[in-house]
């Protein structure tokens, strides 16, 4: 949660005596090696992981930057483990990345929720708007985001909400019963939002997804999220030891528990990759290709401008990241209807 440690860059969970990958963190040894949400670590440096040694295996994952480790990874829906040799690094996580996908459409990637995430989001999105003008819509990418601090999730949600409940927590003790609400002020001034999620979207990332979904602020696209809906509290014992215990459950604004259920997307999207279709060369692609065609009445137009309908850029994005291209298409549809006068909309 501070944004720095020595290791591989993965969020790991103990499941029935195994080590399951919740999510790799962007730009870390784990993500570059191709580790995915749902993968299982079956061996570490040749030693099988089992319920007897799992605590020692946890400790082995972290270590000094530059030290090497070999993980045997069983990919989801595979029956044959693969060995991956990785080098530990000083993991310095920049949790917020912001850029324009197309003029007027911003992309915000949150890789985890740490101390500075909400403030960094406000700064970077504000700089983009100042440079390029108000955005017509934003894609918020929370895929493979393993979560982090509750306070950071509340802060990020508040950046996009003018009002309403963000999340509530309920536990056995009165001190664990909390409710967080949004304050006036929306970084996007109500511009449409699409949130991308997958089975690696967990914990604090699910809080944000649930808050934006239940407050009808954003459409959720992708796969059902991980379902980690509990609050952990760290209790220091002395200078070197602490106990982390589960003290409460998270509930979305509609009162739904995230635990073991996750957030169901508004638009389900399979984990797919696409390739550009082969097409035969065409001598005539439009009226403008015909000899002696009538000129456009508005005057001559640049041939290159006529051909540039945006499909080439769409194909490039779709082959790189199919889910993101679909999210952008949905966002454009929302933006077309946004800001239309009520009377015109009724017509």
């Amino acid at each position: 949660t501070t944004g720095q440690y020595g290791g591989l860059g993965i969020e790991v969970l103990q499941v029935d005596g195994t080590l399951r990958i919740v999510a790799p963190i962007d730009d870390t040894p784990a993500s570059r090696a191709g580790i995915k949400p749902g993968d299982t670590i079956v061996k570490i440096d040749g030693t099988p992981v089992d319920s007897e040694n799992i605590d020692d295996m946890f400790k082995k994952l972290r270590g000094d930057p530059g030290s090497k480790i070999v993980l045997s990874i069983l990919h989801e829906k595979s029956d044959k483990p693969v060995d991956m040799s990785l080098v530990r690094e000083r993991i310095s996580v920049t949790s917020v990345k912001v850029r324009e996908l197309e003029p007027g459409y911003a992309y915000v990637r949150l890789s985890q929720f740490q101390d500075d995430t909400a403030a960094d989001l406000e700064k970077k999105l504000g700089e983009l708007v100042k440079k390029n003008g108000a955005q017509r819509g934003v894609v918020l990418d929370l895929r493979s985001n393993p979560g982090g601090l509750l306070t950071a999730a509340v802060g990020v949600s508040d950046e996009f909400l003018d009002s309403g409940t963000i999340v509530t927590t309920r536990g056995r003790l009165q001190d664990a019963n909390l409710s967080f609400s949004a304050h006036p002020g929306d970084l996007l001034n109500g511009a449409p939002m699409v949130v991308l999620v997958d089975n690696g979207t967990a914990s604090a990332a699910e809080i944000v997804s649930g808050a934006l979904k239940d407050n009808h602020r954003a459409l959720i696209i992708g796969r059902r999220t991980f379902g980690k809906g509990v609050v952990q509290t760290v209790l220091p014992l002395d200078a070197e030891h602490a106990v982390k215990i589960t003290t409460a459950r998270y509930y979305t604004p509609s009162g739904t528990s995230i635990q073991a259920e996750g957030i169901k997307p508004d638009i389900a999207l399979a984990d797919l990759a696409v390739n550009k279709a082969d097409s035969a060369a065409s001598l005539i692609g439009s009226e403008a290709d015909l000899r002696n065609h009538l000129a456009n009445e508005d005057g001559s137009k640049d041939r290159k401008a006529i051909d540039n309908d945006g499909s080439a850029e769409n194909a490039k994005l779709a082959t790189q990241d199919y889910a993101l291209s679909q999210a952008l298409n949905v966002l454009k549809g929302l933006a077309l209807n946004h800001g239309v006068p009520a009377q015109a909309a009724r017509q």
Side-chain angles (χ1 to χ4, degrees):
T1 57
T2 62
Q4 281 197 344
Y5 67 94
L8 302 172
I10 45 176
E11 178 85 0
V12 184
L13 188 69
Q14 180 179 342
V15 179
D16 298 329
T18 65
L19 294 179
R20 185 76 54 80
I21 305 294
V22 176
I25 299 170
D26 293 349
D27 300 322
T28 62
S31 64
R32 290 194 294 269
I35 292 176
K36 303 291 184 184
D39 289 351
T40 301
I41 302 174
V42 295
K43 291 182 181 180
I44 298 177
D45 287 334
T47 303
V49 177
D50 58 41
S51 57
E52 299 297 322
N53 66 6
I54 199 162
D55 289 337
D56 292 333
M57 294 294 103
F58 262 124
K59 294 174 184 177
K60 269 195 169 188
L61 294 174
R62 287 195 175 183
D64 295 332
S67 58
K68 296 180 180 179
I69 187 171
V70 177
L71 302 183
S72 295
I73 298 292
L74 183 64
H75 291 303
E76 193 178 22
K77 298 180 182 177
S78 174
D79 57 4
K80 186 177 180 181
V82 293
D83 288 342
M84 295 183 177
S85 181
L86 297 92
V87 178
R88 297 181 183 90
E89 294 179 3
R90 173 63 60 190
I91 308 296
S92 298
V93 181
T94 301
S95 63
V96 181
K97 294 180 180 178
V98 177
R99 62 182 172 90
E100 269 198 336
L101 288 169
E102 290 183 9
Y105 294 96
Y107 172 76
V108 176
R109 167 64 182 165
L110 301 185
S111 58
Q112 67 174 23
F113 290 87
Q114 55 199 46
D115 284 329
D116 60 354
T117 298
D120 203 20
L121 169 65
E122 183 176 0
K123 177 186 175 184
K124 289 179 178 177
L125 190 54
E127 288 172 348
L128 183 138
V129 171
K130 185 177 180 179
K131 178 181 177 182
N132 299 326
Q135 299 295 290
R136 299 189 65 192
V138 168
V139 175
L140 176 61
D141 189 352
L142 297 180
R143 292 174 295 177
S144 298
N145 182 319
L149 296 176
L150 169 63
T151 51
V154 171
V156 167
S157 302
D158 201 357
E159 297 289 9
F160 299 117
L161 292 169
D162 261 327
S163 61
T165 300
I166 293 174
V167 65
T168 57
T169 65
R170 295 204 294 272
R172 292 181 179 178
L173 302 179
Q174 186 64 34
D175 290 349
N177 299 334
L178 302 171
S179 179
F180 299 88
S181 298
H183 301 85
D186 174 357
L187 287 179
L188 301 175
N189 295 317
M193 290 184 68
V194 167
V195 179
L196 271 175
V197 299
D198 64 9
N199 60 325
T201 303
S203 191
E206 293 176 284
I207 290 175
V208 175
S209 303
L212 297 180
K213 178 182 181 181
D214 285 3
N215 282 290
H216 307 289
R217 180 64 186 87
L219 273 179
I220 312 298
I221 295 180
R223 302 167 67 185
R224 184 183 289 273
T225 62
F226 185 78
K228 182 183 182 294
V230 291
V231 183
Q232 272 89 40
T233 301
V234 178
L235 303 175
L237 300 178
D238 56 34
E240 297 180 353
H241 301 86
V243 172
K244 184 164 74 168
I245 62 173
T246 300
T247 55
R249 294 175 184 260
Y250 294 129
Y251 294 86
T252 69
S254 65
T256 302
S257 172
I258 298 169
Q259 179 61 21
E261 288 289 333
I263 304 293
K264 184 179 179 181
D266 297 303
I267 300 175
L269 199 62
D271 185 17
L272 300 175
V274 299
N275 296 312
K276 187 176 179 181
D278 293 330
S279 58
S282 176
L283 296 177
I284 298 176
S286 71
E287 176 78 10
D289 294 323
L290 296 174
R291 185 191 300 179
N292 299 324
H293 66 270
L294 288 177
N296 187 279
E297 60 188 283
D298 292 333
S300 61
K301 291 189 175 181
D302 180 18
R303 171 78 244 190
K304 187 177 290 187
I306 294 174
D307 289 339
N308 185 19
D309 61 356
S311 57
E313 289 81 359
N314 177 261
K316 182 179 179 181
L317 181 60
T319 53
Q320 291 174 342
D321 190 333
Y322 171 71
L324 181 55
S325 71
Q326 292 294 94
L328 179 58
N329 289 336
V330 170
L331 184 63
K332 288 179 177 179
L334 294 172
L336 285 173
N337 193 49
H338 179 68
V340 176
Q343 185 175 0
R346 285 194 296 271
Q347 294 173 347

